[in-house]
Amino acid sequence: MGLLECCARCLIGAPFASLVATGLCFFGVALFCGCGHEALTGTEQLIETYFSKNYQDYEYLIDVIHAFQYVIYGTASFFFLYGALLLAEGFYTTGAVRQIFGDYKTTICGKGLSATFVGITYVLTIIWLLVFACSAVPVYIYFNTWTTCQSIANPSKTSASIGTLCADARMYGVLPWNAFPGKVCGSNLLSICKTSEFQMTFHLFIAAFVGAAATLVSLLTFMIAATYNFAVLKLMGRGTKF
């Protein structure tokens, strides 16, 4: 009976919202960072192979890709650490809220810590909202290219000449306007779309986009749970101690 009571107390004090948000955060960040890193590498290979033969045309692009890959390493490390801290904070504040009508008296330090996490999570949510929006850009570019390839593969469904259906990397700012050839048209473009490199890179960007969405949902869950717990501690606590 004592063991059952102990398990019941643990379950009652468990921060289920924080547990779900932590799992979702780890999953989303791993998916975003892992797939995003490989998708950027695949994009670099596609540009080098099909869209430009002059290294100077895509030298800046390669530098940007490598910079983003280093940012991805830092992002993964930061979010795994921050997710663990939020989970620990969730256990603390949830336990305090569960006992708020008993003998529990929260500390001023505890309230300040909870408020700090709420503020940091709010800022991170805003920043990650921008990351989520940016992660949709490569998906849009690859989807447009894939749609063009479908039109080339089924010429009866379009009135345009196959030779005029192109994918122009310069149009999206990926390459400078003086890059040559900068674009691929017709049957050559269709052959690129059929390669495993293009298919894999396209799906990796989609997976990275899904990972960014999952991370955004986890941050929103963290923020809502932390704000609620802090509000209860702040407004309904019956005393404080140092």
Side-chain angles (χ1 to χ4, degrees), residues 175-198:
L175 293 175
W177 281 107
N178 59 353
F180 181 82
K183 66 179 181 178
V184 181
C185 304
S187 58
N188 292 331
L189 178 60
L190 181 60
S191 64
I192 293 175
C193 291
K194 290 181 178 179
T195 61
S196 59
E197 292 85 358
F198 178 87

Side-chain angles (χ1 to χ4, degrees), residues 109-194:
C109 180
K111 287 183 179 181
L113 185 63
S114 297
T116 301
F117 276 115
V118 170
I120 294 175
T121 306
Y122 178 81
V123 173
L124 285 177
T125 302
I126 299 299
I127 295 174
W128 198 261
L129 187 61
L130 298 176
V131 174
F132 172 69
C134 292
S135 66
V137 174
V139 176
Y140 170 76
I141 295 174
Y142 274 88
F143 178 76
N144 278 351
T145 304
W146 178 82
T147 303
T148 304
C149 288
Q150 296 304 305
S151 299
I152 296 173
N154 301 280
S156 59
K157 296 183 179 180
T158 178
S159 59
S161 173
I162 293 179
T164 61
L165 297 175
C166 305
D168 194 340
R170 301 169 299 181
M171 182 177 65
Y172 300 107
V174 177
L175 293 175
W177 281 107
N178 59 353
F180 181 82
K183 66 179 181 178
V184 181
C185 304
S187 58
N188 292 331
L189 178 60
L190 181 60
S191 64
I192 293 175
C193 291
K194 290 181 178 179

